[in-house]
Amino acid sequence: MTLFKQIALMLSIFLLIILATVLILNFQSANKGVQDRLYDDAKNTATSLSLSLGSANGDLSMMSTMINANFDSGNYSLISLVDVENNSLYDRKTESDIKTVPKWFISLIELQAPIAHANVSAGWSQVGILSVQSDSTYAYKQLYSILIDLLIYFTIIALVSLVTLNLLLHAVLRPLKEVQKQAGAITKNEFIIQSNIPYTKELADVVLGMNNMVSKVKAMFDKGNEELKAHKELEYVDQDTQLRNRKYLIDRLPAYLKADASYEGGVNMLISLSGIIEANEKLGRQNVNKIFIKIADIFRNGTKNIKDSIVARINGTEFSLLLPNYSNEEAIELAKNIQQSCKDVIEAAELDPNETFASVGLYNYRHSDSITKLLSKSDNALAQAKFNHENIHLEKAEDAIEVMGKEAWKLLINKAIEKERFSFVSWSVIDTKAKKLSHNVLSINLTLDKNSSYGYAQFMAPAIQSGLSCNIYKKIVDMLFKNSSMMLSASTYSLRLPHEYLEDKDTYGNLSELLRANAALLTFKVIIELPDRLVRQDSKLIREYIELFRKYGISIGIFEFIGESKDYGYLQELRPVYIKGESSYFLTQSDQSLSALRLITDTLGISLIAVGVSDTLTLEKLKARDIHIVQGKVTEMVDI
């Protein structure tokens, strides 16, 4: 219960007790007044009527007429006249019939109408004794009417008082609302500085303290952000040409060389400039750098229309152009154009093109290649190109052994989607420092029958090439939220959603409806993993997804993180529970860069998770760099 509700409840009860007490005291006073009035009326009537009866000189008929006149004109239940020997001379009485007053009120309020007595005398001789009792019916009606009036007035007073109390409490506790909002923001790793300082000293001290704490945390985040941006500029960018460098290429390659890569393959073009030592001697290093800048522009212009291409300077004289989804013919044509453009720049610098020239090695890679294989094959193609007459050489990838053709895969996958032949499998993510399970990562298998089962790495590549990956993810997301409770038993599962699926025009609407109908029924916690290169764009679509997931209590994780952003403020907006990066990424970061990243993630409460950890040696190296949460084959060797 909130403090406002507690105070409001306490004061309301106190106020109602006071009002109820006053109401009871007022009613008791009214009750006593009515009872006193009953006696006074009876006494006055008895006194005045006895005098009138005395003037009748004992005439019973005249006295009875007088008694009748008084009885009929007043509210009496009894008027009786007895002689000195207590024999009844005349009496009038009536039975009370109170129909306008509720029975509960009559049973609750017992009125005793007193009897007043007076002597009736004719001269010096006593005629008898007159007894008068007022009728309590009138008193009950009057008391009931008083009670109703009191209840109405006190109800109005109570309502007005409670409303006033509510308004006053809201006014007094308004600063506390802001404090609560600020505290809630802190738990969400948001930085809110409260500018309105409360007048109440205790609240003012709390606000000033929280403002001071938030300012320090924000300063830490800003410092980490600036440091990481600066180090990324140094670690990922070649300072002479402003191209990406070898480290950037190595960190980005895992996204291109995996089972669910966006492209089946492409061409890696390795370009080497020969004769640079001679050029430095002839022109000087500064002028040669200008040549490199012009050549870098050639590479940028040649690849600007190739989606997801990477241009990187590998070393002083070698450059890599990664061209995903690019054919051999297109790559050779591009190589010739680049080679000719480089020759034009060399000749314009008055260098001998036979001495200073570009050699181009091309390797037709596949998504299933390893990073080592891609680089070694590219190096081999470049070595061959240097001895080739045209200085261009293409190294083709080894033909993969296909389990079946593309059309056969397409038919099989469509059948699996139609008949829901997918099943979930999970791998553990282990926190080696806390020695506990962090969460489970979900993947899928395709099983048509007991003799036809395929792992994710087998069917996802042909699914992507057939344009069926979005259909597969639509089906497995349906399975996750509709009927996974019968298949999954752990407490937390993560599911990685690729950018192709998230960018599909129907995905957001389908997810919205699916979560609306099923999110509340889940028996486990879900973490949706989003690709870093998509979330850092801060697009309208991403903001809609984030709002949707938060609405239904679904946490967000980031995968394929290499710290490529120009500003890491998006992490504060997104507030992921963790960031996943390749183990090689964490191991090759400089101490300063990793320290800056840790400053950001620690400030925001984000965990760092290394994926692809296959052996204990790598695990120990990660621990030495303060990375303790791991995913990969090594989790099978870790005791928790």
Side-chain angles (χ1 to χ4, degrees):
M1 186 182 291
T2 64
L3 178 62
F4 171 81
K5 289 182 178 178
Q6 292 182 50
I7 295 175
L9 181 62
M10 180 179 64
L11 292 179
S12 297
I13 293 174
F14 181 68
L15 177 64
L16 291 175
I17 290 174
I18 291 175
L19 291 175
T21 302
V22 173
L23 186 146
I24 292 171
L25 291 175
N26 273 271
F27 183 75
Q28 288 179 343
S29 176
N31 186 12
K32 185 175 183 304
V34 168
Q35 293 209 44
D36 290 343
R37 184 177 174 183
L38 286 175
Y39 178 75
D40 290 341
D41 287 348
K43 184 65 177 176
N44 292 335
T45 300
T47 301
S48 60
L49 183 57
S50 65
L51 293 174
S52 300
L53 293 177
S55 64
N57 296 315
D59 187 347
L60 186 59
S61 61
M62 185 177 292
M63 287 191 294
S64 62
T65 301
M66 292 179 181
I67 291 173
N68 288 336
N70 273 273
F71 190 88
D72 294 334
S73 62
N75 294 301
Y76 305 103
S77 62
L78 170 69
I79 298 179
S80 66
L81 179 63
V82 297
D83 59 17
V84 292
E85 294 179 357
N86 204 29
N87 296 315
S88 177
L89 298 175
Y90 187 77
D91 64 61
R92 285 285 304 275
K93 63 174 63 177
T94 184
E95 294 293 330
S96 297
D97 185 15
I98 311 172
K99 296 182 178 179
T100 58
V101 178
K103 292 182 178 179
W104 63 264
F105 182 78
I106 297 172
S107 61
L108 187 65
I109 307 298
E110 294 185 4
L111 286 178
Q112 297 293 333
I115 299 174
H117 303 281
N119 291 320
V120 180
S121 302
W124 294 103
S125 129
Q126 184 175 355
V127 177
I129 299 173
L130 179 67
S131 299
V132 178
Q133 184 180 29
S134 296
D135 188 1
S136 61
T137 301
Y138 174 74
Y140 274 115
K141 290 179 181 178
Q142 190 176 22
L143 275 178
Y144 184 68
S145 177
I146 291 172
L147 177 63
I148 296 300
D149 289 341
L150 285 173
L151 288 174
I152 292 173
Y153 292 138
F154 275 84
T155 301
I156 294 172
I157 292 171
L159 290 176
V160 171
S161 300
L162 291 175
V163 170
T164 304
L165 176 64
N166 183 67
L167 294 175
L168 289 173
L169 282 177
H170 270 293
V172 172
L173 297 178
R174 184 180 293 115
L176 189 59
K177 285 282 186 182
E178 296 301 318
V179 172
Q180 183 183 14
K181 181 180 178 182
Q182 190 178 29
I186 291 173
T187 62
K188 297 177 182 177
N189 302 311
E190 295 176 350
F191 308 133
I192 296 178
I193 302 296
Q194 193 174 159
S195 57
N196 296 324
I197 306 302
Y199 292 109
T200 307
K201 185 180 184 304
E202 291 81 359
L203 291 179
D205 291 342
V206 172
V207 169
L208 291 172
M210 293 181 69
N211 279 351
N212 185 41
M213 180 182 66
V214 170
S215 297
K216 290 180 179 179
V217 174
K218 187 177 187 303
M220 291 173 60
F221 175 84
D222 292 340
K223 180 182 178 182
N225 190 18
E226 293 302 320
E227 287 185 5
L228 190 56
K229 286 192 291 183
H231 287 301
K232 284 305 156 192
E233 187 71 19
L234 294 173
E235 292 200 1
Y236 278 164
V237 178
D238 176 65
Q239 299 304 306
D240 292 329
T241 62
Q242 296 302 301
L243 294 176
R244 299 295 188 177
N245 59 19
R246 178 184 177 87
K247 183 173 182 355
Y248 176 83
L249 177 66
I250 298 298
D251 286 344
R252 286 284 286 123
L253 278 176
Y256 294 82
L257 306 178
K258 59 177 184 174
D260 56 353
S262 301
Y263 311 104
E264 189 175 14
V267 174
N268 186 43
M269 183 184 296
L270 204 58
I271 303 171
S272 176
L273 295 176
S274 300
I276 297 302
I277 296 176
E278 292 78 7
N280 278 328
E281 292 175 353
K282 183 176 181 179
L283 301 177
R285 181 173 178 80
Q286 199 169 21
N287 288 324
V288 171
N289 280 344
K290 292 179 180 178
I291 293 175
F292 276 122
I293 291 172
K294 291 179 180 179
I295 290 174
D297 288 336
I298 293 171
F299 297 156
R300 289 192 191 94
N301 293 330
T303 59
K304 64 182 180 181
N305 295 322
I306 303 175
K307 187 179 180 183
D308 297 327
S309 60
I310 298 176
V311 180
R313 189 176 186 179
I314 304 301
N315 55 44
T317 60
E318 292 184 1
F319 300 83
S320 174
L321 278 64
L322 188 72
L323 312 172
N325 205 32
Y326 217 54
S327 68
N328 294 340
E329 294 75 17
E330 290 173 320
I332 291 174
E333 183 65 26
L334 177 61
K336 290 179 179 179
N337 292 336
I338 286 175
Q339 196 177 55
Q340 182 59 49
S341 298
C342 290
K343 183 178 179 182
D344 293 341
V345 171
I346 291 167
E347 290 178 342
E350 298 180 354
L351 293 172
D352 184 358
N354 293 318
E355 188 178 78
T356 305
F357 58 91
S359 299
V360 184
L362 302 104
Y363 172 57
N364 173 221
Y365 74 89
R366 298 179 63 84
H367 73 279
S368 55
D369 287 346
S370 65
I371 294 177
T372 303
K373 182 177 180 180
L374 183 145
L375 295 179
S376 64
K377 289 288 186 180
S378 299
D379 284 335
N380 183 62
L382 180 60
Q384 295 292 326
K386 289 181 178 180
F387 298 101
N388 190 300
H389 174 69
E390 294 182 346
N391 298 118
I392 295 176
H393 179 76
L394 172 66
E395 182 92 8
K396 293 184 179 181
E398 299 173 2
D399 292 334
I401 300 174
E402 293 283 353
V403 177
M404 63 185 77
K406 289 185 178 180
E407 286 302 316
W409 269 118
K410 187 174 182 179
L411 290 173
L412 185 147
I413 293 169
N414 275 323
K415 184 177 180 182
I417 293 172
E418 179 185 352
K419 296 184 176 295
E420 294 190 0
R421 297 298 187 183
F422 297 102
S423 59
F424 288 113
V425 291
S426 65
W427 285 273
S428 300
V429 177
I430 303 296
D431 186 335
T432 59
K433 187 174 184 179
K435 295 188 178 300
K436 67 176 183 179
L437 177 70
S438 174
H439 63 275
N440 290 277
V441 179
L442 288 178
S443 185
I444 48 173
N445 284 342
L446 187 160
T447 306
L448 287 180
D449 52 55
K450 63 181 180 180
N451 297 319
S452 302
S453 181
Y454 304 93
Y456 183 83
Q458 291 176 285
F459 69 82
M460 187 50 71
I464 291 172
Q465 299 307 311
S466 302
L468 296 174
S469 62
C470 288
N471 294 343
I472 290 176
Y473 272 96
K474 181 179 184 300
K475 181 59 65 177
I476 64 173
V477 169
D478 279 350
M479 291 170 55
L480 176 66
F481 287 103
K482 286 183 178 179
N483 53 18
S484 59
S485 58
M486 296 182 291
M487 300 176 281
L488 304 176
S489 57
S491 59
T492 306
Y493 290 95
S494 70
L495 179 66
R496 177 178 295 190
L497 299 181
H499 63 89
E500 293 91 352
Y501 170 71
L502 293 167
E503 291 176 336
D504 186 80
K505 61 183 179 64
D506 297 325
T507 297
Y508 181 81
N510 292 337
L511 264 177
S512 299
E513 182 59 30
L514 192 63
L515 293 176
R516 185 194 64 79
N518 300 283
L521 305 177
L522 286 177
T523 57
F524 50 84
K525 183 181 178 181
V526 175
I527 304 173
I528 295 296
E529 295 184 7
L530 305 176
D532 182 60
R533 70 188 182 99
L534 185 63
V535 298
R536 70 170 181 262
Q537 295 173 4
D538 192 30
S539 63
K540 178 184 177 183
L541 179 63
I542 283 299
R543 288 194 294 272
E544 288 176 346
Y545 276 122
I546 292 171
E547 184 179 343
L548 176 66
F549 293 141
R550 284 178 182 164
K551 178 180 178 181
Y552 293 103
I554 294 175
S555 299
I556 298 169
I558 291 179
F559 69 93
E560 292 181 351
F561 181 84
I562 62 168
E564 190 180 354
S565 179
K566 295 180 179 179
D567 189 339
Y568 300 90
Y570 75 95
L571 294 176
Q572 183 188 347
E573 298 297 325
L574 183 62
R575 301 196 301 275
V577 291
Y578 57 71
I579 288 173
K580 288 185 177 179
E582 291 289 330
S583 57
S584 58
Y585 163 74
F586 291 115
L587 292 176
T588 56
Q589 294 297 293
S590 67
D591 291 339
Q592 296 85 352
S593 181
L594 191 58
S595 176
L597 177 61
R598 290 307 298 255
L599 186 59
I600 289 175
T601 54
D602 289 348
T603 301
L604 299 176
I606 301 171
S607 301
L608 293 178
I609 301 177
V611 303
V613 185
S614 57
D615 53 71
T616 54
L617 178 60
T618 304
L619 176 61
E620 292 305 317
K621 290 179 179 178
L622 288 167
K623 287 181 179 179
R625 307 216 73 186
D626 201 23
I627 306 295
H628 299 279
I629 308 178
V630 295
Q631 174 182 328
K633 291 182 180 179
V634 77
T635 57
E636 299 173 3
M637 312 172 197
V638 177
D639 294 327
I640 57 173

